Amino acid sequence: MEGNGIEHRIVRANGINIHLAEKGEGPIILFLHGFPEFWYSWRHQLHAFASLGYRAVAPDLRGYGDSDAPADVNSYTCFHVVGDLIGVLDAIGAGKVFVVGHDWGALIGWYLCLFRPDRVKALVNLSVAFLPRDAMNKPVDTFRAFYGDEYYICRFQEPRAIETEFVEIGIDKVLKYSFTSIPAAPFYLPKGKALREQIDIPITLPSWLSEDELKCYVTQYEKTGFIGGLNYYKNLDLNWELTAPWTRSKVEVPAKFIVGNLDLTYNTPILKENMNFNVMKKHVPLLEDVVVMKGVGHFVQVEKADEINQLIHDFFQKF
């Protein structure tokens, strides 16, 4: 899968096996993927940054790809995943590294900087802004109050329910829809009807995603299913409970944030308000910039790979 010098290996980190895809020599950039993805979403970045003199490392986060997937749903908290990443850095002999995160990888990137700023030189996050902890309200309750029980994050809380629906619909159809057709708006998955109306509509793949590339995702998810990735959502409230000591803490790491104006996160009000530069800078005082890319959806690192690579490179060159 996507050769051209990309090396693969398994490291032992935080008591589990973590798969790494990596390329290049030089300062390390740790690329953190989201859902429904795995290391492969950083294929363009691995090649580009290796050619620019970096060592680009993209792990499969726990529960994804060829990394271990613990059976206990409560083994997917932010502390478990950040612990995995510290273990990875130790295993590859890394001190402080650059970090790039997307979607859930961005959320984990914020947590990594919050918990272990001593291991991060600078951060570029895509799609998911820093969300300061609301001391009074659990996140799932907040989403439910704003958007109701059929909002996708609320549906993802139900044990095995959405996983079963996705398998019944077909992994290939779910992934094809996820990459190409998620609306630029709050996203809903009605119980028993999730995606069933949309999947019968023919989808033409965009120029940034070939049939072979889509097949790589499908092949991987046919092996793993969606359970591991969905467990991250099931721990949103537990993360909230566990991070109480970090209430009002700031991210003290140089950072840049990038989002597409067609991203569902940018078009979900309770998420978008945190993407305002002045709002985010209150919580991320070393924030350099918020970049909103026009005509770009959720998967910015593949939709506009060259532009994203340039933005990341320009920022990291300062350190």
Side-chain angles (χ1 to χ4, degrees):
M1 181 188 296
E2 195 70 22
N4 298 323
I6 294 178
E7 298 179 353
H8 298 267
R9 61 169 163 150
I10 300 291
V11 299
R12 194 73 178 167
N14 195 23
I16 65 173
N17 292 321
I18 297 290
H19 167 255
L20 305 179
E22 54 186 314
K23 184 176 182 180
E25 298 292 337
I28 294 173
I29 305 178
L30 189 66
F31 291 94
L32 308 177
H33 67 80
F35 177 84
E37 303 172 87
F38 64 115
W39 76 264
Y40 187 66
S41 286
W42 298 112
R43 57 196 179 276
H44 302 303
Q45 285 69 40
L46 293 181
H47 294 307
F49 283 93
S51 71
L52 290 168
Y54 292 89
R55 181 181 176 189
V57 181
D60 286 332
L61 300 182
R62 68 163 57 202
Y64 288 93
D66 292 324
S67 291
D68 284 351
D72 184 359
V73 65
N74 292 330
S75 293
Y76 292 80
T77 70
C78 55
F79 288 103
H80 288 90
V81 185
V82 170
D84 297 344
L85 298 180
I86 295 300
V88 165
L89 296 184
D90 291 344
I92 65 176
K96 296 184 77 169
V97 299
F98 295 110
V99 177
V100 180
H102 170 252
D103 187 77
W104 260 101
L107 192 55
I108 296 301
W110 293 121
Y111 280 129
L112 174 61
C113 293
L114 199 61
F115 302 154
R116 294 299 305 271
D118 59 306
R119 302 303 293 268
V120 183
K121 293 179 183 177
L123 171 73
V124 174
N125 264 345
L126 316 176
S127 296
V128 176
F130 181 72
L131 303 174
R133 185 179 184 275
D134 180 345
M136 302 304 296
N137 300 291
K138 293 183 177 182
V140 176
D141 288 344
T142 299
F143 285 121
R144 185 170 281 115
F146 272 83
Y147 301 115
D149 292 337
E150 294 185 339
Y151 183 61
Y152 79 102
I153 288 176
C154 299
R155 286 295 321 281
F156 286 176
Q157 304 306 309
E158 304 168 27
R160 299 296 178 111
I162 202 70
E163 294 93 326
T164 301
E165 287 188 44
F166 281 174
V167 171
E168 290 173 352
I169 292 167
I171 288 173
D172 57 336
K173 293 178 180 178
V174 170
L175 288 170
K176 192 172 188 178
Y177 179 86
S178 298
F179 285 119
T180 64
S181 305
I182 296 293
F187 183 47
Y188 297 91
L189 290 169
K191 185 175 291 188
K193 299 185 293 184
L195 303 184
R196 294 182 188 278
E197 294 178 2
Q198 297 95 326
I199 59 172
D200 291 328
I201 301 173
I203 296 175
T204 300
L205 291 181
S207 60
W208 51 265
L209 183 66
S210 70
E211 289 287 354
D212 286 342
E213 289 172 325
L214 178 62
K215 186 177 179 181
C216 288
Y217 289 98
V218 173
T219 299
Q220 189 65 65
Y221 274 86
E222 285 177 342
K223 292 195 300 183
T224 62
F226 295 100
I227 293 173
L230 290 169
N231 282 342
Y232 286 66
Y233 293 91
K234 291 178 172 62
N235 279 279
L236 280 168
D237 281 351
L238 182 54
N239 287 340
W240 177 86
E241 294 177 19
L242 296 173
T243 55
W246 285 268
T247 301
R248 292 187 297 278
S249 291
K250 300 180 188 298
V251 173
E252 303 282 359
V253 168
K256 188 184 190 87
F257 179 71
I258 307 169
V259 66
N261 73 327
L262 301 181
D263 194 319
L264 78 163
T265 63
Y266 188 74
N267 292 277
T268 300
I270 61 175
L271 298 178
K272 183 178 180 179
E273 64 191 33
N274 291 289
M275 298 179 189
N276 176 279
F277 176 81
N278 292 324
V279 171
M280 201 187 307
K281 196 166 178 66
K282 292 177 183 177
H283 309 287
V284 188
L286 299 179
L287 180 70
E288 180 190 80
D289 197 10
V290 171
V291 178
V292 180
M293 300 183 71
K294 298 291 180 66
V296 185
H298 184 62
F299 299 96
V300 287
Q301 77 272 40
V302 285
E303 294 182 42
K304 294 292 182 181
D306 291 343
E307 291 90 333
I308 288 292
N309 295 346
Q310 190 65 57
L311 288 168
I312 294 170
H313 186 232
D314 289 346
F315 183 56
F316 286 168
Q317 277 192 305
K318 299 177 182 179
F319 305 97

